Amino acid sequence: MVKNGSEILVEALVEQGVDTIFGYPGGAVLNIYDALYKNSDRIRHILTAHEQGAAHAADGYARATGRVGVCLATSGPGATNLVTGIATAYMDSIPMVAITGNVGTSLIGRDSFQEVYIAGITMPITKHNFVVRHVEELADTIRSAFRIAASGRPGPVLVDIPKDVTSAECEYIPGEKVEVHETYDVTEEQLKTVADLIAQAERPMIYFGGGVETANAGEALLALMKKADIPAAHTMMAIGCIPDAEPLSLGLVGMHGTVSADWAVERSDLLLCIGARFSDRVATNTSRFAPKAKLVHIDIDAAEINKNIGVDYSVVSDAENFLTRLLPYVQPAKHDAWRAQIAEWQEKLDYVPKDDDSVIHPHQLLRTLYDMIGDDAIVATDVGQHQLWSAQYNRCTKVRHFLTSGGLGTMGFGYGAAMGAQIAYPDKTVVHITGDGSFHMNLNELCTAVTYNLPIITIIMNNNVLGNVRQWQTMFYEKRYSQTDLYRKTDYIKLADAFGGRGYRATNIAELRAALKEALAHRSGPVLIECTIDKDERVLPMIPAGGTIDDLVAD
C-alpha cells in the first residue's frame, strides 16, 4: 500500500508495540503530527511543557516498564532541547528512541530557519543515530532503531527525518515487531574458573549495578549469594534488585553508601563485579581500590572491561545468563568469620541518624513515606542531597520501582520520569522526591500532570540551598557558600494552585503524615508537599574526592 512518510512512521511505531509518545510539535514535524492526529486511537501522544520533559518522560516510561520509550521533537531548538534527556538515558543505559524533524533535504547545510545538525550533536550520547534521506528507508530505519535501542547494553537511538521525507510517498510493506533474543558465548571453562575463585575465597564480596536490573537477574543473584554465602552491595542503579532487608545485602556501596559495605569491598579477597562499571562514585581512587582482592568483572559491554579498573578475570555476558549458568558450578559455602566481621562493622561504623518528630529529618521523611505508600509504589527522584537520602533510606523491594539519574546526575529529571511511570502504570502510586533546587529546573511539567490528571505526589525537600554543592563547600571551601544559598520566595502552595494542582506544607512529621494521607486519597491530579528541611542536614557518609574508604568523613 502507498503511504507518505508520516503515515509510514506511525505504522512502524505501532508495529513495534508503541502505544505512547511524549513530544512537542513544530513546523518540521507538522506532517507527523497530522498522522498522529489521524491515528490517535492507536498511539497516545502526551504533550509536555518542554522537550526536555518529553525526553525524561520517555526515559521514565522505559525505566519503569523495561520497554523502549519514545519522544518526538521538531527541528532546531526542539531537537536540542532533547539533548540532556538523551544524555541522561545514555549514561544509565536506558532504551529510548528519539525522533526529530529537520528542514527539507534541499535546505540542509544552508543555516535554514530552525536547522541544526542534531545527528552530529548527539553522536557521543547515542548508541546510534540515523538521518533518513529517502522515504523508502524510513520503515526499516525505525525497525533498526528499536533493535539497537533494546539489544546488548540498551541505550538511546536518534532518528532525524527531514520534512520532505515525511510527505514523500512510497510503497509501505508491513513488518514484524523486532524481537531481541541474544545469546552470549559463556564457556564451561569460564564458569569453572569463576566458581573456583569463589570456592578459594575467604572474604568474597559482590558489587552489582544496573546491569542486574536490566537483565532481571535479581533472583539469580540472590540464589548465588545464599548458596555461596557471599555478601553483596549495590549501586544506585540497582536499588530494588534484591531486598535490602536480606541479611546478605549490605545496601548501597560507594561514596554515599554504608561504611560496612565500603569496608567489605576494600577488605575483600575476591570482588565479583556484576553489571556495574567501577564508576568514580564507587572506585573513587582507582589505584587504591580493593587492593587485596582478585577482581572479576561480568558485564554485557566488552568496552567496560578494564576501562576504569584493571581486573584479573572477565566474562562478557548479560547478568541473568551468566548467573543462571554459573550457579550449578558453585559449591555451597559458609564464611562465618567474614560475616561476623562485617556485622561488627555494621554495628560500630554505620551511621544511624537520630529521630526528632518536631522537625523533618530526611530519614524520618522517607520512613514515613514508605510506611504510607506501600511496596508497589514507584519512586522517581531528582539529583542532589534528596536523591542520596532517598537511595540510602529507600525501602524499595521491587525492580524498576526506583527511578533516578545515576550517571549524568540530571537535576530536573524526576518530574518527567514520574510522568512516564504514571502514564505507564496509571493505577500505581508514583512519588516524585525532589529538592527545591532541582524542582525549579522543570517545575513547568506540573501543568502536564494537571492536563492529563496524573496523580503524582511530589515531595519537595525545601532547605533553600543547593544542598549537595553547599555540603562540599562546607567540607572543602571553608564555608564560602558561593551561589548555593538560593534566597527564593517561591510559594509552593500557590504554585500548585496556579497550575491546577493541590499543595500542602509540612514542618514536622505529624503534618507530613496528614499531607500524605490527603495526597494518597487524591487521585485526580498532581499534589505538591513542601517539607521544610534544615539547610545544615548532611548526607553521610562522605568520601572526599580522590579518597578511598579509609578517608571517610564521619560526623
Side-chain angles (χ1 to χ4, degrees), residues 291-523:
K292 297 179 180 179
K294 285 188 178 298
L295 300 181
V296 178
H297 194 180
I298 293 91
D299 202 278
I300 199 170
D301 186 356
E304 290 295 343
I305 307 296
N306 294 314
K307 185 177 85 173
N308 294 328
I309 292 282
V311 299
D312 298 288
Y313 198 74
S314 63
V315 180
V316 176
S317 173
D318 70 283
E320 171 71 14
N321 173 58
F322 174 79
L323 289 168
T324 302
R325 294 188 60 188
L326 175 68
L327 204 58
Y329 291 88
V330 173
Q331 297 300 313
K334 285 292 181 183
H335 301 99
D336 294 337
W338 178 228
R339 293 279 303 280
Q341 175 64 83
I342 292 173
E344 181 181 343
W345 292 335
Q346 288 175 315
E347 182 178 354
K348 292 183 177 180
L349 300 176
D350 283 352
Y351 175 66
V352 179
K354 297 178 181 179
D355 290 356
D356 182 354
D357 284 356
S358 67
V359 294
I360 299 179
H361 288 308
H363 72 282
Q364 288 177 275
L365 184 158
L366 290 156
R367 181 198 302 158
T368 302
L369 175 67
Y370 275 101
D371 282 345
M372 297 186 69
I373 63 177
D375 294 338
D376 202 39
I378 296 174
V379 171
T381 84
D382 276 301
V383 171
Q385 284 180 315
H386 68 274
Q387 174 197 35
L388 303 175
W389 287 318
S390 298
Q392 290 175 337
Y393 303 122
N394 87 88
R395 294 222 304 262
C396 184
T397 60
K398 296 183 179 181
V399 74
R400 302 190 180 281
H401 279 56
F402 186 84
L403 317 180
T404 196
S405 171
L408 196 65
T410 305
M411 295 175 69
F413 164 80
Y415 209 94
M419 291 194 306
Q422 191 74 83
I423 290 289
Y425 297 109
D427 296 329
K428 286 185 184 289
T429 297
V430 176
V431 177
H432 166 224
I433 301 175
T434 188
D436 51 311
S438 281
F439 185 66
H440 277 89
M441 291 278 185
N442 277 327
L443 61 80
N444 52 341
E445 293 303 341
L446 181 60
C447 73
T448 308
V450 170
T451 299
Y452 293 98
N453 297 316
L454 303 180
I456 297 166
I457 300 171
T458 294
I459 306 290
I460 304 171
M461 294 192 190
N462 185 13
N463 54 10
N464 267 308
V465 296
L466 299 177
N468 224 25
V469 184
R470 189 178 189 274
Q471 182 169 330
W472 287 98
Q473 289 173 334
T474 300
M475 294 165 59
F476 301 114
Y477 294 88
E478 298 178 342
K479 299 185 178 182
R480 293 188 293 274
Y481 297 127
S482 176
Q483 304 305 315
T484 49
D485 285 282
L486 298 178
Y487 305 112
R488 288 175 177 155
K489 306 299 181 183
T490 306
D491 187 323
Y492 297 99
I493 312 306
K494 291 181 179 179
L495 179 75
D497 182 65
F499 273 95
R502 298 176 67 177
Y504 301 90
R505 186 171 289 115
T507 60
N508 57 49
I509 295 299
E511 291 176 353
L512 172 61
R513 286 197 189 97
L516 276 171
K517 184 178 180 181
E518 289 285 332
L520 288 166
H522 177 71
R523 295 287 299 178

Side-chain angles (χ1 to χ4, degrees), residues 186-188 190-198 206 220 224 227-228 230 272 274 296 298 315 319-331:
V186 179
T187 67
E188 185 177 18
Q190 289 176 312
L191 297 169
K192 286 182 176 178
T193 298
V194 176
D196 288 344
L197 288 170
I198 292 173
I206 293 172
L224 171 64
K227 185 174 184 179
I230 306 177
L272 296 176
I274 304 173
V296 178
I298 293 91
V315 180
E320 171 71 14
N321 173 58
F322 174 79
L323 289 168
T324 302
R325 294 188 60 188
L326 175 68
L327 204 58
Y329 291 88
V330 173
Q331 297 300 313

Side-chain angles (χ1 to χ4, degrees), residues 22 54-64 69 85 88-90 92 94-96 413 417:
F22 303 89
H56 291 325
D59 180 324
Y61 182 96
R63 290 180 198 244
T88 301
Y90 181 76
D92 289 344
I94 305 303
M96 185 169 81
F413 164 80

